[in-house]
């Protein structure tokens, strides 16, 4: 399970960037996002799915390439 991934000095990433599956705090009475959140304990909730979006040449494909590279290195 991928919780957090950081990459820097790879392809188009000069500085470190982080992809995190940690859910932001939302009000308890908001059921709109509850189906996408997996509560681990009182302090940690994780997302079941996420999307990467942005403009052209913003690094979307390169973050996926970096994750694939780390899977290969492992």
């Amino acid at each position: 399970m991928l919780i957090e991934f950081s990459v820097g000095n790879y392809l188009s990433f000069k500085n470190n960037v982080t992809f995190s599956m940690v859910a932001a705090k939302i009000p308890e009475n908001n059921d709109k996002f509850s189906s996408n959140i997996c509560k681990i304990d009182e302090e940690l909730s994780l997302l079941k799915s996420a999307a990467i979006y942005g403009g052209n040449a913003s690094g979307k494909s390169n973050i996926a390439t970096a994750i694939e590279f780390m899977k290969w290195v492992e």
Side-chain angles (χ1 to χ4, degrees):
M1 172 187 282
L2 179 68
I3 297 174
E4 192 170 84
F5 180 77
S6 294
V7 63
N9 195 25
Y10 182 78
L11 296 175
S12 63
F13 301 112
K14 180 179 178 182
N15 299 323
N16 285 344
V17 295
T18 301
F19 176 76
S20 178
M21 295 294 287
V22 176
K25 302 269 186 204
I26 59 171
E28 292 293 327
N29 58 357
N30 190 342
D31 291 334
K32 183 177 179 181
F33 303 108
S34 63
S35 63
N36 192 41
I37 295 175
C38 179
K39 192 167 179 113
I40 304 301
D41 59 27
E42 286 297 318
E43 298 178 12
L44 180 62
S45 296
L46 300 176
L47 298 173
K48 294 179 183 177
S49 64
I52 299 173
Y53 62 94
N56 293 341
S58 62
K60 299 179 298 289
S61 297
N62 287 343
I63 192 80
T65 302
I67 292 171
E68 284 295 321
F69 178 74
M70 286 307 299
K71 284 172 50 178
W72 177 79
V73 169
E74 183 176 63

